[in-house]
Structure formats: C-alpha cells, structure tokens
Amino acid sequence: MQINGKRILVTGGTGSLGQVLVRRLLSGEFGEPEKIVVFSRDEARQHAMRLRFQHLGAATDEIIFAGWTKRLAFRIGDIRDIDSVRAAVRDADIVINAAAMKQVPTCEYFPEEAHQTNVGGALNLFRAIRDLARPPEVVVGVSTDKAAKPVNVMGITKALQERVLVRANLDCPATRFVAVRYGNVIASRGSVVPLFLEQIRRGGPITITDRRMTRFLMSLDDAVNIIADAVAQALAGEILVPVAPSARMTDLARALCGTTDIPLTTTGIRPGEKLHEILISEEEVPRTCRRGPHFAIRPMLPELDLAEHPAPALDREYSSADNVVDIDALRALLAPGGRLHHGAEASDDAFL
C-alpha cells in the first residue's frame, strides 16, 4: 500500500483493528500520508485513542507521536447517516470501511440495527461517493468469513455489504471498490481470546460453546496486511481472502492455559453460530484465483470480471474444519514471535 500524500478515511477507526491500522499508517512503513481521519460515533473511544497515541512506550513511538500531531484527525459521525458520510468522504483518497456490528448474538436479536450499519453504511458510502466530483481512488470493505454461506444476521448483512460494494464499481468507475474477508481476529474487541484470558485469570472455568467448533485465526497485523494488499493489488469488485490457520476452540483454550489446569465447560452454541466457518464457498471456488499471497474471489458480475481466468486456486470450499493445526503448532503460533502472538498492545486494544 503506497500512501504517500494520500488522505485516508477509516470508518469505525476506534475499534481494535482501526487502532492497529492507524498506528501502522503513522509508522511510515507504507509511506507518508497527508492526513488520516478516524470516523466513528463514540467520543469516549476517540478520546481514549488520542491519549493512547500520546503515550511513548518505545523508540518508534516518537515517529507515531509526531505523525499523529501532524496528520491524525478525529471526526464524530455515523456511517448510518448519509449526510455525515458525505462530509467525511469528500476529501478522501482511500476509504477503509471498518464500521460494523459484528457480534453474532447481538445481530440476531437486533437485525434491523445490524442491517442499518452493515448494509446501510455501505450504501451510504456508495451514494456519497457517486455524487462527488473528485471521488476516492479506492474503497476497502472489511468483511467476515460469516458472509460465506451465511446462516446468521451478521453474516447475511456482511454478504450484502460485499454485494453493495461490488455493484458500486458499475456506477462509480473512477473508484475501485474491493473487500477483504477473513476469520477471527484473535485479540480484537469481542473475540474469544480476550474472553478466554479473562476466564483463565479468574481461575476458570473456560466456556466452550461446542467442543467440535473450529475457527480461522488471524492477528491484528495479519488483518492490516490484507487491507494494505487490497489497496495495492485487488481489482475492482474482488474480495481478498487470506491463507489462514484454523484451530479447534478447545485446543485454543488449552494453549492459552499453558501449564495451568483450568476446567472447560460446554455452554451450547449461541444464536446464529456455526460449528465451522467458511472463507470461500464451493460456489465461489470456480471464481477464486491467487492474488499475491492471498486468494481473490473474482466478481460475479460479468461487466467487472474482465481479467484472464486462470485455473481455480482451490478444488473445494475453504473451511475451518480442514487443515486444523494441532495444539503444539497452535502454541508455537501464539508464542512471542509467532504469527498469532497476542501481545500487550493487541490485548490492550481488546479491552478498550
């Protein structure tokens, strides 16, 4: 992702992903942006994020601190309000839409609210950009494995968000609308790891909804990396999907316990949950190719699927039930220096 001189809007930017994304944008590893605007409706989280970026905990934080004083701005607004969105996108070159309702049970009980945020928010972005004389260069929608073969409200609304953004390319040819779809971000707010860690601190028990359950796992940095690659590489209407490890939730709980013997309790599947998640459905396999280190699902609309058609990169759906890592490999992934290490910074984000 080359962002030199670019103006970047991050909707839902006070969340766990947004904070790590903004921090890395300010670090200079992708270039020097002209401005980064964090757009959200929670003034308390915006205030906490300001204070967090003022704290110098390491040498590299000097760069980040200097970057935020010059480049970082906060904007109160609601993705569900078209006027608010119009005001936010009018100066943006790159838009990363991380605003979402993402708790599966909450979305089941309040489907109209999930629709307004996850679908209505994407529609507002599309409509606001369609009316601009100088539209953004690229919009990246952050989606979820629950959008593949969706069985819950959260997945259904995210699947619709993907389709809204794909379709937006036809009416906004100057803007490249793309999406990223991935599994559990391991230390993000609301993910299972902070819950397990808190239960371990209390001495247990650790609650498992079903002992057969598997999930794809990613770190917050993995999530930022695929967003960066989507900005740089994804073609209009494509959905980038990571090559990610998956694990049994029982193994994840035991790996986090270390040598401590903590009891596990089965509570039953929550409303809307699946036993296994799917990142790419069998129907999408014929349209799936490799795009750099990731899979790319080509758009269903023929007007957008103009690239050459290589042989599919998969021969079956991409499920968390396949290629599950064993507990020793999982411990290595979670250890300091491992791909899924949930360091202090990520864990702090998870509890903001």
Side-chain angles (χ1 to χ4, degrees):
M1 175 165 56
Q2 286 300 318
I3 61 171
N4 286 322
K6 302 297 185 183
R7 290 163 290 187
I8 303 170
L9 174 68
V10 183
T11 71
T14 53
S16 307
L17 171 63
Q19 294 197 54
V20 174
L21 172 63
V22 169
R23 185 177 184 83
R24 290 182 62 184
L25 290 172
L26 290 172
S27 74
E29 69 174 289
F30 302 119
E32 299 292 337
E34 178 182 324
K35 180 72 72 175
I36 302 167
V37 177
V38 171
F39 176 87
S40 75
R41 57 180 175 174
D42 193 323
E43 63 177 337
R45 285 185 182 168
Q46 288 193 9
H47 179 63
M49 190 170 176
R50 282 192 194 95
L51 295 179
R52 186 177 179 84
F53 279 101
Q54 287 176 349
H55 176 68
L56 305 182
T60 54
D61 285 346
E62 277 292 352
I63 298 170
I64 295 165
F65 177 76
W68 106 232
T69 58
K70 297 174 184 176
R71 299 187 179 97
L72 185 60
F74 292 87
R75 185 182 189 97
I76 293 290
D78 193 338
I79 195 72
R80 311 199 299 186
D81 176 15
I82 183 64
D83 292 326
S84 183
V85 174
R86 282 196 180 105
V89 301
R90 63 188 174 195
D91 295 322
D93 299 305
I94 298 169
V95 178
I96 299 164
N97 182 32
M101 277 187 65
K102 61 179 185 177
Q103 296 298 308
V104 169
T106 302
C107 292
E108 289 300 305
Y109 283 106
F110 301 97
E112 71 284 2
E113 297 293 330
H115 184 275
Q116 287 182 52
T117 299
N118 297 346
V119 183
L123 283 167
N124 284 340
L125 276 173
F126 156 60
R127 290 164 178 158
I129 290 169
R130 181 185 57 190
D131 297 338
L132 289 174
R134 195 198 70 83
E137 299 168 18
V138 61
V139 174
V140 180
V142 177
S143 190
T144 169
D145 50 10
K146 293 168 181 62
K149 287 189 173 178
V151 299
N152 51 50
V153 171
M154 195 274 221
I156 291 166
T157 55
K158 281 294 193 174
L160 282 170
Q161 180 186 106
E162 290 179 359
R163 299 301 175 86
V164 167
L165 295 177
V166 170
R167 172 62 178 80
N169 285 283
L170 298 182
D171 287 343
C172 306
T175 300
R176 182 166 44 96
F177 289 84
V178 300
V180 295
R181 181 196 288 174
Y182 45 68
N184 280 20
V185 178
I186 201 162
S188 64
R189 188 164 39 236
S191 76
V192 72
V193 167
L195 172 63
F196 283 175
L197 291 175
E198 179 63 21
Q199 290 174 337
I200 291 166
R201 277 195 285 267
R202 293 177 180 177
I206 298 175
T207 54
I208 303 289
T209 56
D210 190 294
R211 290 176 182 267
R212 298 168 292 170
M213 188 169 286
T214 63
R215 288 293 183 267
F216 291 105
L217 302 176
M218 293 181 65
S219 69
L220 285 161
D221 279 323
D222 285 336
V224 171
N225 290 342
I226 194 171
I227 290 170
D229 288 343
V231 171
Q233 302 174 10
L235 304 180
E238 282 188 340
I239 301 168
L240 288 198
V241 176
V243 178
S246 59
R248 296 178 185 86
M249 291 297 94
T250 51
D251 287 345
L252 178 61
R254 291 191 179 101
L256 292 171
C257 287
T259 58
T260 307
D261 186 17
I262 304 288
L264 302 184
T265 298
T266 302
T267 60
I269 290 179
R270 300 179 301 169
E273 276 192 321
K274 291 180 180 179
L275 275 180
H276 311 293
E277 295 291 1
I278 297 167
L279 272 170
I280 300 172
S281 71
E282 59 188 295
E283 292 81 11
E284 293 170 322
V285 164
R287 295 186 284 114
T288 298
C289 59
R290 290 302 290 254
R291 179 76 64 231
H294 313 293
F295 295 117
I297 304 171
R298 300 193 310 272
M300 188 181 298
L301 301 180
E303 297 90 340
L304 297 173
D305 189 17
L306 303 177
E308 293 185 11
H309 290 193
L314 296 168
D315 60 7
R316 60 179 174 175
E317 70 180 15
Y318 188 18
S319 168
S320 65
D322 298 328
N323 303 314
V324 174
V325 299
D326 62 29
I327 192 165
D328 291 332
L330 184 56
R331 286 191 178 110
L333 288 168
L334 291 167
R339 177 176 171 181
L340 299 177
H341 176 58
H342 51 287
E345 179 183 335
S347 296
D348 287 347
D349 282 343
F351 289 106
L352 272 178

